[in-house]
Amino acid sequence: MKQADFVIPLNWKNDSFRQIKNPKTLANPASSFPFSFPVKPYQNPESFNLSKIIMPLGDNLGDKSDSRYCGVETDFNDDMPHVLSYNINGGFDFIVAPLMEPGYRPSLINTASRESSVLPFAGSDLVLSPAQWSSHVVGKISSWIDLDSEDDVLREDSETALKQELAWASHLSLQACLLPTPKGNSCANYARCVNQILQNLNNMQLWLRIPLVKSDDEDDDSVNGTSDGMVVEPTDSWELWNSFRELCEHHSQLSVALDVLSSLPSVNSLGRWFGEPVKAAIVHTDSFLTNARGYPCLSKRHQKLLSGFFYFSIQIVLSGKAVHKLPVGSLPSGSGQADNNAQQAQKHEIRSYLDYVGYLYQKMEPLPEQERFELGYRDFLQSPLQPLMDNLEAQTYETFEKDSVKYIQYQRAVSKALVDRIPDENASTTTVILMVVGAGRGPLVRASLQAAEETGRKLKVYAVEKNPNAVVTLHSLVKLEGWEDVVTIISCDMRCWEAPEKADILVSELLGSFGDNELSPECLDGAQRFLKPDGISIPSSYTSFIQPVTTSKLYNDVKLHKDLLHFETAYVVKLHRLAKLSPSQAVFTFTHPNYSPNISNQRYKKLRFETPVETGSFIVHGFAGYFDAILYKDVHLGIEPSTATPNMFSWFPIFFPLRSPVYVKAGSPLDFQIWRCCGNTKVWYEWCVTSPTVSPIHNCNGRSYWVGL
């Protein structure tokens, strides 16, 4: 691997980096540190070369996430070059290493020598290059630290040592440091000190070590502890994390490193963590079982958990000594340089555990084509379209038009409607009048004409489009396809057009991520005057759905703006790092045509979400919204998770954030209320939580977010 191809294995990108003005500083962090003096490269007989530095777990089609790289937790050693060389050559991509000699206590240094003493760090900053420190070392803060101790000396020593070690880590430009697990349920002083440090910290992440423990029964004999010697009372460790995170004001640079032990909580309980900012999972060697050949392996539940970590870009860190005695002759045999490298890698005492993690990674199913297409959109907040106020750009049209699945469903719906409308015996003598309102650049026109050809029906099409730029393309398409005798193009807003005749079928593509959020009801209520009394609307109805979610990533992205407006805006987003806390529930339903004498599109809904007690407590950052539409009879399309149309990408879910996250105790219901409000010039949503706590009503009078009529 050439120096120019050097890859950074650690998750070096801070979520807040999207705000950085100069993207060039993100392209190659290994070369972007502002050192003003030449750093002497590390020279050692045991040194590693760049061709060995990057040894990912394997190749998985479409996956370029940080979960490809695996780390190892090491003991203190003041020969840092040797530690790094041994582990990198052994197959690992980074180390989690103590920065300070474990016997150091600030109070043991007398006052006279304190100013002149050299702190017992693990070597000078010059023993490794800046790129090696940054790319391959996560600092491990001393495990003896206890900032909430009743012992004044220990508490003061802990605070001093914590600040010294993090200052040293910052000096080394480390990307992350592992903080020790809080020693008890009370962690206020520890959190206070960490929060102070976070206020002035560079881009380094702080990983708080939390054991993956939740006891559903007081008599649970599961192993509750961490490798740094702490024993945790049978409890829900998520509560400990949540208390610490709340005390630190949900700071975006505070993350979690989960200690994965031999016993795991319930599936529902584990699911909460995928919405939390988990950066690493520390898997202990004593959590491994032994397979029939004598090699380490993991239980089915552990395997499934690691697959989840891989999918959500959570890096695995192995910890502990080898506890399996491998069969004799298990080392690879052969000849040549490749074999020598393999045998050298096998010298690492826990290489067999790394190989097994690599095996789990490589046997994952490759990402489907649709997910590979959507990778760049994951957890990226986008403002919803304003389809009546704004004209779409060509690039937006092109993206929507590539969604063949959607248009296949529309073609099926039109085909069924044509067959129902015109019996076979009248097919050659009767012409069906079909209007496409919001025709865009013509994909629905094409789908309708293909349906007519498929069913042998005669069709006359009116294509109504308000965007003059799209109309240019429509005219070109009609001429190119020879549709001049069949298709009439109307360059006009459907709300203003007076149709020369009534339609048998009205086809539209006005749905938003929440069904009605792009004003489909208002548009179709106005356009239904074009329909014959027994005319058909495609779609015939649609329903919005909503569910509570934990998504620390999106919450922090919204919080970056530091204003009310962004917390009262509904975003379109490809949801990825989140925990779905309860099944989605139906919200608003609209049916077309709607011949009610007093049509009102205002809506109000009260919902109660229940979660199993075994899930434990959780935090709600907002609500994810979806829709499901009936195009005609049994032909539907939608994005509601339980009924979503496969391989359709035209719509991402919508996200309604909460200004303040809501804590919900285990077994407690969550009450949510949402309004769809209509004015003379705009439509907007208002929403709030009313139990277990009461939140403000968001977006009152549409002050922050609305869709213009």
Side-chain angles (χ1 to χ4, degrees):
M1 185 176 292
K2 305 186 296 295
Q3 176 70 46
D5 296 329
F6 184 69
V7 180
I8 303 301
L10 287 183
N11 183 9
W12 59 271
K13 289 186 287 187
N14 187 325
D15 292 341
S16 63
F17 273 17
R18 288 183 177 175
Q19 306 302 312
I20 287 184
K21 302 296 184 184
N22 183 6
K24 292 182 179 178
T25 60
L26 304 183
N28 185 5
S31 62
S32 62
F33 295 102
F35 289 98
S36 57
F37 56 89
V39 179
K40 182 180 179 181
Y42 162 57
Q43 300 291 336
N44 188 292
E46 298 179 297
S47 65
F48 47 91
N49 58 53
L50 287 175
S51 66
K52 296 180 183 178
I53 282 183
I54 304 304
M55 300 180 67
L57 294 172
D59 293 320
N60 195 303
L61 184 61
D63 183 15
K64 301 300 180 185
S65 70
D66 298 302
S67 59
R68 293 180 297 160
Y69 305 107
C70 187
V72 60
E73 186 175 12
T74 69
D75 295 326
F76 177 82
N77 190 324
D78 57 8
D79 188 357
M80 186 61 77
H82 170 74
V83 173
L84 189 57
S85 172
Y86 170 70
N87 287 288
I88 295 295
N89 283 326
F92 292 94
D93 298 297
F94 63 95
I95 62 174
V96 181
L99 301 177
M100 184 80 80
E101 200 281 320
Y104 165 72
R105 301 292 185 276
S107 61
L108 298 180
I109 302 175
N110 61 53
T111 305
S113 61
R114 185 166 296 166
E115 293 183 3
S116 60
S117 64
V118 177
L119 293 173
F121 289 123
S124 160
D125 54 354
L126 296 177
V127 299
L128 298 176
S129 72
Q132 289 166 351
W133 280 115
S134 175
S135 305
H136 300 289
V137 180
V138 170
K140 180 184 174 184
I141 304 303
S142 296
S143 59
W144 60 264
I145 285 177
D146 184 2
L147 282 97
D148 291 278
S149 172
E150 297 294 329
D151 184 326
D152 291 344
V153 175
L154 175 57
R155 186 174 65 252
E156 291 170 6
D157 273 358
S158 297
E159 183 167 344
T160 301
L162 177 67
K163 291 179 177 178
Q164 289 172 337
E165 293 184 42
L166 287 176
W168 178 246
S170 182
H171 170 72
L172 296 174
S173 298
L174 300 190
Q175 297 179 46
C177 270
L178 180 66
L179 301 177
T181 309
K183 297 296 189 287
N185 291 328
S186 175
C187 57
N189 192 51
Y190 187 6
R192 178 195 66 85
C193 189
V194 169
N195 199 31
Q196 285 182 344
I197 294 169
L198 284 168
Q199 305 311 308
N200 299 301
L201 196 62
N202 59 14
N203 294 315
M204 184 169 67
Q205 287 275 327
L206 299 184
W207 298 353
L208 182 66
R209 189 172 197 152
I210 297 291
L212 190 53
V213 171
K214 181 183 179 296
S215 298
D216 297 317
D217 183 52
E218 292 182 359
D219 298 325
D220 192 349
D221 294 327
S222 61
V223 179
N224 298 331
T226 68
S227 66
D228 49 18
M230 178 200 165
V231 176
V232 180
E233 294 297 325
T235 186
D236 184 356
S237 59
W238 180 90
E239 298 277 12
L240 182 62
W241 154 246
N242 188 54
S243 296
F244 199 97
R245 171 252 303 277
E246 292 272 8
L247 290 164
C248 292
E249 307 171 286
H250 295 258
H251 201 286
S252 61
Q253 288 172 254
L254 179 65
S255 306
V256 180
L258 288 175
D259 256 324
V260 180
L261 309 175
S262 57
S263 178
L264 293 177
S266 68
V267 173
N268 285 338
S269 176
L270 289 173
R272 296 172 301 171
W273 289 103
F274 292 121
E276 301 288 0
V278 180
K279 297 295 185 182
I282 304 171
V283 183
H284 299 261
T285 53
D286 57 12
S287 298
F288 285 76
L289 307 175
T290 306
N291 68 13
R293 298 177 56 211
Y295 287 89
C297 65
L298 288 169
S299 69
K300 294 291 186 183
R301 290 196 64 208
H302 281 82
Q303 291 179 40
K304 188 173 181 180
L305 179 62
L306 259 65
S307 294
F309 290 150
F310 294 144
Y311 180 73
F312 288 109
S313 302
I314 296 169
Q315 293 179 300
I316 305 300
V317 176
L318 293 178
S319 176
K321 305 295 183 183
V323 294
H324 291 72
K325 187 175 181 180
L326 297 182
V328 177
S330 61
L331 292 179
S333 59
S335 59
Q337 183 62 40
D339 183 64
N340 291 337
N341 289 342
Q343 292 207 30
Q344 184 178 4
Q346 283 288 346
K347 290 180 182 178
H348 198 289
E349 63 171 332
I350 62 170
R351 173 68 192 215
S352 57
Y353 301 85
L354 173 64
D355 288 341
Y356 182 77
V357 173
Y359 159 74
L360 292 181
Y361 177 84
Q362 292 174 54
K363 79 169 190 174
M364 287 178 63
E365 290 292 328
L367 288 176
E369 182 179 356
Q370 179 188 352
E371 286 205 41
R372 294 200 300 273
F373 170 79
E374 295 169 349
L375 278 174
Y377 296 97
R378 283 179 173 178
D379 292 330
F380 184 80
L381 297 170
Q382 304 175 68
S383 297
L385 296 175
Q386 292 275 2
L388 295 188
M389 294 177 59
D390 303 329
N391 289 325
L392 300 184
E393 298 175 351
Q395 185 176 3
T396 306
Y397 281 121
E398 183 179 9
T399 300
F400 291 153
E401 290 163 6
K402 287 179 179 177
D403 192 348
S404 59
V405 172
K406 173 178 61 178
Y407 296 111
I408 289 172
Q409 292 299 91
Y410 267 97
Q411 183 176 331
R412 288 183 58 214
V414 173
S415 294
K416 285 178 176 283
L418 288 172
V419 170
D420 287 351
R421 194 74 180 171
I422 306 298
D424 288 343
E425 57 269 23
N426 297 335
S428 60
T429 59
T430 306
T431 299
V432 176
I433 307 301
L434 183 144
M435 295 180 181
V436 179
V437 289
R441 301 197 307 183
L444 284 182
V445 174
R446 183 186 297 277
S448 300
L449 291 173
Q450 288 175 341
E453 182 179 355
E454 177 184 286
T455 58
R457 266 57 177 177
K458 297 175 68 176
L459 206 59
K460 180 179 181 181
V461 178
Y462 288 93
V464 185
E465 175 54 48
K466 73 175 181 63
N467 183 352
N469 304 307
V471 168
V472 173
T473 308
L474 265 176
H475 278 288
S476 176
L477 176 68
V478 167
K479 184 177 180 180
L480 180 67
E481 297 290 346
W483 294 339
E484 291 93 341
D485 296 334
V486 181
V487 178
T488 301
I489 298 172
I490 308 297
S491 181
C492 182
D493 190 318
M494 71 181 78
R495 296 171 294 180
C496 305
W497 180 51
E498 293 298 330
E501 56 185 321
K502 296 289 186 178
D504 296 286
I505 302 174
L506 185 70
V507 182
S508 64
E509 186 187 356
L510 305 170
L511 298 169
S513 298
F514 202 49
D516 57 82
N517 64 298
E518 293 185 10
L519 306 186
S520 179
E522 285 71 23
C523 292
L524 293 184
D525 286 347
Q528 74 182 25
R529 69 184 188 277
F530 306 147
L531 270 177
K532 295 176 181 177
D534 61 344
I536 298 169
S537 173
I538 298 176
S540 61
S541 69
Y542 39 90
T543 301
S544 52
F545 292 81
I546 207 163
Q547 69 181 153
V549 294
T550 297
T551 172
S552 178
K553 168 71 171 63
L554 296 185
Y555 173 77
N556 279 318
D557 282 355
V558 176
K559 193 175 71 168
L560 279 173
H561 295 281
K562 300 180 180 179
D563 61 19
L564 177 66
L565 183 147
H566 287 83
F567 272 115
E568 294 190 336
T569 297
Y571 298 93
V572 173
V573 57
K574 171 59 181 174
L575 298 170
H576 182 61
R577 279 300 297 268
L578 87 164
K580 298 175 180 178
L581 303 169
S582 183
S584 65
Q585 296 186 31
V587 188
F588 307 135
T589 297
F590 293 88
T591 302
H592 302 287
N594 179 7
Y595 292 119
S596 170
N598 297 306
I599 294 178
S600 173
N601 290 322
Q602 296 207 135
R603 297 287 191 275
Y604 169 44
K605 190 76 170 182
K606 292 190 287 187
L607 299 170
R608 168 162 287 195
F609 295 96
E610 308 273 2
T611 54
V613 176
E614 67 174 21
T615 300
S617 303
F618 54 85
I619 199 164
V620 180
H621 292 111
F623 292 81
Y626 318 95
F627 79 91
D628 187 79
I630 297 174
L631 296 181
Y632 183 71
K633 290 189 172 179
D634 62 342
V635 182
H636 93 107
L637 59 78
I639 60 171
E640 195 280 320
S642 65
T643 61
T645 306
N647 302 317
M648 186 176 67
F649 56 80
S650 285
W651 294 275
F652 293 152
I654 199 166
F655 175 62
F656 294 90
L658 291 174
R659 284 155 60 179
S660 297
V662 173
Y663 170 82
V664 182
K665 194 167 181 61
S668 297
L670 173 70
D671 291 341
F672 175 71
Q673 304 194 33
I674 184 168
W675 296 260
R676 187 183 196 267
C677 306
C678 302
N680 293 328
T681 59
K682 65 183 183 180
V683 173
W684 70 95
Y685 299 100
E686 299 180 11
W687 64 94
C688 71
V689 169
T690 54
S691 178
T693 59
V694 177
S695 76
I697 294 177
H698 291 58
N699 197 36
C700 185
N701 284 327
R703 63 191 172 195
S704 300
Y705 160 66
W706 45 270
V707 187
L709 288 168

